[in-house]
Amino acid sequence: MAYTQAELQAKVALGRDAIFRVAPVGENGATPQPTAFKELCLASEVTVGFENKSITFANFCSGGSDVEIPVGETGTLDLSEMQWIEDDAALLIMETAAREKGTVAYEFLPAGAGAGKTVYRGTFTVKGWKIKAAAAGTVTVDNPGLAAGGMPEKGTVSA
C-alpha cells in the first residue's frame, strides 16, 4: 500500500512520544493498579517483542529432513541506559526488584499516552544493576540485564 506524504505523517509514530512505565508486581503476582506505574526515563531506546520457539528434529519418517514443531514463544525486552536520579520512583522500582529478585510489570506505549492507543504489557525480572559515573558526563544506570516474563500482551489504553 502506498501512502501520500500527509497520510504517512498522520500515521507514523515518533519515538520521542513513546512511554515506558514500570510498577512492582503485587503479592502472589497481582497486577499493579494503574497509579502504581512510574515512567522510566530511558536515554535512547526500548525494544519490546517476542520470538517464536520451535524444536527441530530429523528422523526416518521424514526421510532425514528437518521437521519443526512450534513450542511457544519467549518475550524479549531491552532497555537503553538511563540517567541516574537518586530519588526517581521508576529507578527505585527497578533497583529494588534487582536486589530482592522481584518481578516488575511494564507498560510500553509506542505512540504515547491517550485513550485507544496501543499498549504492550508484560513482566520482567532485573538480572543485573550497574551505576556508572564518567568524569566528563552524568551518572547513568547501564543497560540493565532483564529476563522477560513471556510474550507481551497487546491492547489499547483505556480512558
PDB file of all heavy atoms in Angstrom, residues 21-25 32 37 103-107 122-124:
ATOM      1  N   ARG A  21       6.627   2.459  31.201  1.00  0.00           N
ATOM      2  CA  ARG A  21       6.316   2.595  32.636  1.00  0.00           C
ATOM      3  C   ARG A  21       6.540   1.267  33.348  1.00  0.00           C
ATOM      4  O   ARG A  21       6.328   0.199  32.750  1.00  0.00           O
ATOM      5  CB  ARG A  21       4.863   3.018  32.837  1.00  0.00           C
ATOM      6  CG  ARG A  21       4.508   4.305  32.157  1.00  0.00           C
ATOM      7  CD  ARG A  21       3.136   4.796  32.539  1.00  0.00           C
ATOM      8  NE  ARG A  21       2.071   4.097  31.859  1.00  0.00           N
ATOM      9  CZ  ARG A  21       0.997   4.693  31.361  1.00  0.00           C
ATOM     10  NH1 ARG A  21       0.834   5.986  31.478  1.00  0.00           N
ATOM     11  NH2 ARG A  21       0.062   3.991  30.766  1.00  0.00           N
ATOM     12  N   VAL A  22       6.921   1.350  34.613  1.00  0.00           N
ATOM     13  CA  VAL A  22       7.148   0.153  35.418  1.00  0.00           C
ATOM     14  C   VAL A  22       6.411   0.261  36.747  1.00  0.00           C
ATOM     15  O   VAL A  22       6.139   1.353  37.234  1.00  0.00           O
ATOM     16  CB  VAL A  22       8.660  -0.069  35.685  1.00  0.00           C
ATOM     17  CG1 VAL A  22       9.398  -0.348  34.390  1.00  0.00           C
ATOM     18  CG2 VAL A  22       9.289   1.107  36.413  1.00  0.00           C
ATOM     19  N   ALA A  23       6.097  -0.914  37.318  1.00  0.00           N
ATOM     20  CA  ALA A  23       5.460  -0.992  38.635  1.00  0.00           C
ATOM     21  C   ALA A  23       5.834  -2.324  39.252  1.00  0.00           C
ATOM     22  O   ALA A  23       6.003  -3.322  38.538  1.00  0.00           O
ATOM     23  CB  ALA A  23       3.941  -0.886  38.526  1.00  0.00           C
ATOM     24  N   PRO A  24       5.983  -2.371  40.578  1.00  0.00           N
ATOM     25  CA  PRO A  24       6.248  -3.667  41.209  1.00  0.00           C
ATOM     26  C   PRO A  24       5.007  -4.554  41.120  1.00  0.00           C
ATOM     27  O   PRO A  24       3.885  -4.075  41.264  1.00  0.00           O
ATOM     28  CB  PRO A  24       6.569  -3.307  42.664  1.00  0.00           C
ATOM     29  CG  PRO A  24       6.048  -1.926  42.870  1.00  0.00           C
ATOM     30  CD  PRO A  24       5.927  -1.272  41.524  1.00  0.00           C
ATOM     31  N   VAL A  25       5.225  -5.829  40.860  1.00  0.00           N
ATOM     32  CA  VAL A  25       4.117  -6.781  40.835  1.00  0.00           C
ATOM     33  C   VAL A  25       3.700  -7.040  42.277  1.00  0.00           C
ATOM     34  O   VAL A  25       4.540  -7.170  43.168  1.00  0.00           O
ATOM     35  CB  VAL A  25       4.538  -8.087  40.125  1.00  0.00           C
ATOM     36  CG1 VAL A  25       3.491  -9.172  40.288  1.00  0.00           C
ATOM     37  CG2 VAL A  25       4.786  -7.808  38.652  1.00  0.00           C
ATOM     38  N   PRO A  32      -0.495  -4.744  39.125  1.00  0.00           N
ATOM     39  CA  PRO A  32      -0.463  -3.442  39.811  1.00  0.00           C
ATOM     40  C   PRO A  32      -1.607  -2.531  39.370  1.00  0.00           C
ATOM     41  O   PRO A  32      -2.091  -2.623  38.238  1.00  0.00           O
ATOM     42  CB  PRO A  32       0.877  -2.837  39.376  1.00  0.00           C
ATOM     43  CG  PRO A  32       1.653  -3.947  38.765  1.00  0.00           C
ATOM     44  CD  PRO A  32       0.678  -4.964  38.295  1.00  0.00           C
ATOM     45  N   PHE A  37       2.174   2.586  38.345  1.00  0.00           N
ATOM     46  CA  PHE A  37       3.159   2.665  37.264  1.00  0.00           C
ATOM     47  C   PHE A  37       3.865   4.018  37.265  1.00  0.00           C
ATOM     48  O   PHE A  37       3.224   5.061  37.373  1.00  0.00           O
ATOM     49  CB  PHE A  37       2.493   2.421  35.905  1.00  0.00           C
ATOM     50  CG  PHE A  37       2.189   0.976  35.658  1.00  0.00           C
ATOM     51  CD1 PHE A  37       0.986   0.439  36.060  1.00  0.00           C
ATOM     52  CD2 PHE A  37       3.112   0.154  35.043  1.00  0.00           C
ATOM     53  CE1 PHE A  37       0.696  -0.898  35.842  1.00  0.00           C
ATOM     54  CE2 PHE A  37       2.835  -1.188  34.820  1.00  0.00           C
ATOM     55  CZ  PHE A  37       1.621  -1.717  35.224  1.00  0.00           C
ATOM     56  N   THR A 103       9.625  -9.252  40.704  1.00  0.00           N
ATOM     57  CA  THR A 103       9.117  -9.120  39.340  1.00  0.00           C
ATOM     58  C   THR A 103       8.562  -7.717  39.144  1.00  0.00           C
ATOM     59  O   THR A 103       7.934  -7.160  40.041  1.00  0.00           O
ATOM     60  CB  THR A 103       8.016 -10.173  39.079  1.00  0.00           C
ATOM     61  OG1 THR A 103       8.564 -11.464  39.321  1.00  0.00           O
ATOM     62  CG2 THR A 103       7.513 -10.103  37.655  1.00  0.00           C
ATOM     63  N   VAL A 104       8.798  -7.176  37.959  1.00  0.00           N
ATOM     64  CA  VAL A 104       8.334  -5.843  37.602  1.00  0.00           C
ATOM     65  C   VAL A 104       7.327  -5.971  36.459  1.00  0.00           C
ATOM     66  O   VAL A 104       7.541  -6.730  35.524  1.00  0.00           O
ATOM     67  CB  VAL A 104       9.519  -4.948  37.157  1.00  0.00           C
ATOM     68  CG1 VAL A 104       9.033  -3.583  36.691  1.00  0.00           C
ATOM     69  CG2 VAL A 104      10.540  -4.807  38.273  1.00  0.00           C
ATOM     70  N   ALA A 105       6.240  -5.227  36.547  1.00  0.00           N
ATOM     71  CA  ALA A 105       5.277  -5.138  35.447  1.00  0.00           C
ATOM     72  C   ALA A 105       5.653  -3.926  34.603  1.00  0.00           C
ATOM     73  O   ALA A 105       6.172  -2.941  35.121  1.00  0.00           O
ATOM     74  CB  ALA A 105       3.865  -4.979  35.990  1.00  0.00           C
ATOM     75  N   TYR A 106       5.391  -4.019  33.293  1.00  0.00           N
ATOM     76  CA  TYR A 106       5.666  -2.863  32.439  1.00  0.00           C
ATOM     77  C   TYR A 106       4.507  -2.598  31.497  1.00  0.00           C
ATOM     78  O   TYR A 106       3.708  -3.485  31.200  1.00  0.00           O
ATOM     79  CB  TYR A 106       6.970  -3.033  31.646  1.00  0.00           C
ATOM     80  CG  TYR A 106       6.907  -4.060  30.533  1.00  0.00           C
ATOM     81  CD1 TYR A 106       6.436  -3.720  29.263  1.00  0.00           C
ATOM     82  CD2 TYR A 106       7.332  -5.362  30.747  1.00  0.00           C
ATOM     83  CE1 TYR A 106       6.386  -4.657  28.247  1.00  0.00           C
ATOM     84  CE2 TYR A 106       7.284  -6.307  29.733  1.00  0.00           C
ATOM     85  CZ  TYR A 106       6.811  -5.942  28.481  1.00  0.00           C
ATOM     86  OH  TYR A 106       6.747  -6.868  27.477  1.00  0.00           O
ATOM     87  N   GLU A 107       4.446  -1.356  31.069  1.00  0.00           N
ATOM     88  CA  GLU A 107       3.542  -0.923  30.014  1.00  0.00           C
ATOM     89  C   GLU A 107       4.379  -0.119  29.034  1.00  0.00           C
ATOM     90  O   GLU A 107       5.083   0.817  29.426  1.00  0.00           O
ATOM     91  CB  GLU A 107       2.423  -0.032  30.551  1.00  0.00           C
ATOM     92  CG  GLU A 107       1.453  -0.737  31.446  1.00  0.00           C
ATOM     93  CD  GLU A 107       0.316   0.152  31.905  1.00  0.00           C
ATOM     94  OE1 GLU A 107       0.504   1.390  32.011  1.00  0.00           O
ATOM     95  OE2 GLU A 107      -0.764  -0.389  32.155  1.00  0.00           O
ATOM     96  N   GLY A 122       3.543  -6.477  30.055  1.00  0.00           N
ATOM     97  CA  GLY A 122       4.216  -7.719  30.397  1.00  0.00           C
ATOM     98  C   GLY A 122       4.929  -7.592  31.724  1.00  0.00           C
ATOM     99  O   GLY A 122       4.720  -6.625  32.473  1.00  0.00           O
ATOM    100  N   THR A 123       5.760  -8.564  32.001  1.00  0.00           N
ATOM    101  CA  THR A 123       6.558  -8.559  33.229  1.00  0.00           C
ATOM    102  C   THR A 123       7.998  -8.916  32.895  1.00  0.00           C
ATOM    103  O   THR A 123       8.285  -9.465  31.827  1.00  0.00           O
ATOM    104  CB  THR A 123       6.021  -9.576  34.257  1.00  0.00           C
ATOM    105  OG1 THR A 123       6.102 -10.885  33.691  1.00  0.00           O
ATOM    106  CG2 THR A 123       4.601  -9.250  34.681  1.00  0.00           C
ATOM    107  N   PHE A 124       8.885  -8.599  33.822  1.00  0.00           N
ATOM    108  CA  PHE A 124      10.285  -8.968  33.684  1.00  0.00           C
ATOM    109  C   PHE A 124      10.942  -9.013  35.052  1.00  0.00           C
ATOM    110  O   PHE A 124      10.397  -8.501  36.031  1.00  0.00           O
ATOM    111  CB  PHE A 124      11.047  -8.002  32.755  1.00  0.00           C
ATOM    112  CG  PHE A 124      11.128  -6.585  33.248  1.00  0.00           C
ATOM    113  CD1 PHE A 124      12.177  -6.168  34.063  1.00  0.00           C
ATOM    114  CD2 PHE A 124      10.175  -5.646  32.876  1.00  0.00           C
ATOM    115  CE1 PHE A 124      12.267  -4.853  34.495  1.00  0.00           C
ATOM    116  CE2 PHE A 124      10.252  -4.334  33.307  1.00  0.00           C
ATOM    117  CZ  PHE A 124      11.301  -3.939  34.119  1.00  0.00           C
TER     118      PHE A 124
END
